[in-house]
Amino acid sequence: MPTSPTTATEESAVLQCPLCERVPKKPKKCKPLHGRLVCPKCRNAFASRRQLAFVIDTVIWELLAMVPLYYLGLIPGLNPTGFSIPSGAVGPVEIFFSYIFPLTFYFKDGFSGQSPGKYACGVQVVDVATHEPTGFGRSFKRNLCLIIPVAPLIVLFLMMKGRRWGDGWAKTKVVWTKHRFNPIFDDRGTRCTKCGYDLTGNTTGRCPECFTPVSVKAYQPVEKS
Ligand SMILES: [Zn+2]
Ligand SMILES: [Zn+2]
């Protein structure tokens, strides 16, 4: 059972990374992820996954968005069907594709907390309290902030810290699927770090589901020898 999680504010001379369980070569370079120190390698790897997922989603969405534009003859020089929008509808159609249609991008994380990019990169959006994957409503809420000009660039940077704009409002957080029960991502403190089994009241010292030893090792500074 975790007793004293290492917080970002605690100064520990030698620290074990709670994600990769390695002792970082340069402990001073450890920075917080979701408020707790991890090694630079893990922090960067998680941020890179999220950033790559964002880029993949943007590309996929842009390609999908081309489909209706293509068939409506709205891409200059390409009009396979010979369709032309009635002159009276040109204005509303332009408004729709400029302002309404782009909002569909914000629903991307609604597939059990995963967009296609997040699925490919092994990250997932979950509810802060229950750790259940989010649906389309919460996805829209957390991504709506991207409507602000330059917000996507700021969000890409904030991904380094864990929580980014929109997560507070939507009460969501992004977890590394492989480590989703690790205390860095799951701070309920009562779950097996491997399989997520609720270990409240456990006295055997082992998870009854996956037989992982119930250990606080990953939380504590490694003793100097
Ligand atoms: Zn690490
Ligand atoms: Zn377990």
Side-chain angles (χ1 to χ4, degrees), residues 17 19-21 39 42:
C17 173
L19 290 177
C20 64
E21 300 187 358
C39 79
C42 289

Side-chain angles (χ1 to χ4, degrees), residues 54 57 104-111 114-116 118 139 143:
F54 192 87
D57 289 335
T104 57
F105 181 69
Y106 304 153
F107 291 105
K108 67 189 177 70
D109 301 324
F111 307 93
Q114 288 184 312
S115 59
K118 281 197 171 64
S139 170
N143 288 318

Side-chain angles (χ1 to χ4, degrees), residues 144-166:
L144 191 58
C145 63
L146 301 175
I147 206 163
I148 304 165
V150 307
L153 286 178
I154 296 169
V155 158
L156 280 172
F157 175 74
L158 287 176
M159 283 173 183
M160 298 295 288
K161 292 182 170 197
R163 183 187 256 205
R164 66 135 164 103
W165 283 2

Side-chain angles (χ1 to χ4, degrees), residues 19 64 74 82 84 86 123 155 173:
L19 290 177
L64 287 176
L74 289 171
S84 70
V123 294
V155 158
K173 71 164 141 188

Side-chain angles (χ1 to χ4, degrees), residues 178-195:
K178 185 172 75 170
H179 295 295
R180 68 190 181 281
F181 299 119
N182 186 288
I184 291 292
F185 300 108
D186 189 339
D187 50 15
R188 291 174 292 183
T190 56
R191 304 278 158 159
C192 169
T193 54
K194 288 282 180 293
C195 75

Side-chain angles (χ1 to χ4, degrees), residues 12-210:
S12 309
V14 185
L15 196 81
Q16 190 178 31
C17 173
L19 290 177
C20 64
E21 300 187 358
R22 277 191 289 254
V23 177
K25 286 194 189 97
K26 293 175 181 165
K28 281 191 179 156
K29 296 226 162 153
C30 287
K31 284 185 183 158
L33 172 61
H34 286 308
R36 288 180 191 166
L37 295 177
V38 296
C39 79
K41 226 174 161 183
C42 289
R43 194 174 187 260
N44 292 338
F46 181 57
S48 303
R49 279 169 180 270
R50 292 179 65 182
Q51 288 159 348
L52 180 63
F54 192 87
V55 172
I56 291 173
D57 289 335
T58 305
V59 171
I60 289 177
W61 188 85
E62 294 283 350
L63 289 174
L64 287 176
M66 298 291 267
V67 176
L69 296 178
Y70 180 75
Y71 283 103
L72 288 171
L74 289 171
I75 300 173
L78 282 175
N79 193 351
T81 55
F83 179 81
S84 70
I85 297 165
S87 57
V90 170
V93 166
E94 275 181 2
I95 289 172
F96 177 80
F97 280 106
S98 304
Y99 301 104
I100 313 288
F101 190 67
L103 299 179
T104 57
F105 181 69
Y106 304 153
F107 291 105
K108 67 189 177 70
D109 301 324
F111 307 93
S112 244
Q114 288 184 312
S115 59
K118 281 197 171 64
Y119 180 78
C121 296
V123 294
Q124 193 169 18
V125 185
V126 299
D127 180 277
V128 166
T130 66
H131 282 256
E132 289 296 321
T134 52
F136 293 103
R138 302 283 288 286
S139 170
F140 186 81
K141 205 170 173 183
R142 76 183 290 273
N143 288 318
L144 191 58
C145 63
L146 301 175
I147 206 163
I148 304 165
V150 307
L153 286 178
I154 296 169
V155 158
L156 280 172
F157 175 74
L158 287 176
M159 283 173 183
M160 298 295 288
K161 292 182 170 197
R163 183 187 256 205
R164 66 135 164 103
W165 283 2
D167 276 330
W169 192 41
K171 296 192 172 64
T172 54
K173 71 164 141 188
V174 178
V175 300
W176 194 336
T177 313
K178 185 172 75 170
H179 295 295
R180 68 190 181 281
F181 299 119
N182 186 288
I184 291 292
F185 300 108
D186 189 339
D187 50 15
R188 291 174 292 183
T190 56
R191 304 278 158 159
C192 169
T193 54
K194 288 282 180 293
C195 75
Y197 187 83
D198 191 348
L199 295 171
T200 307
N202 181 286
T203 51
T204 61
R206 230 165 238 281
C207 169
E209 272 299 297
C210 69

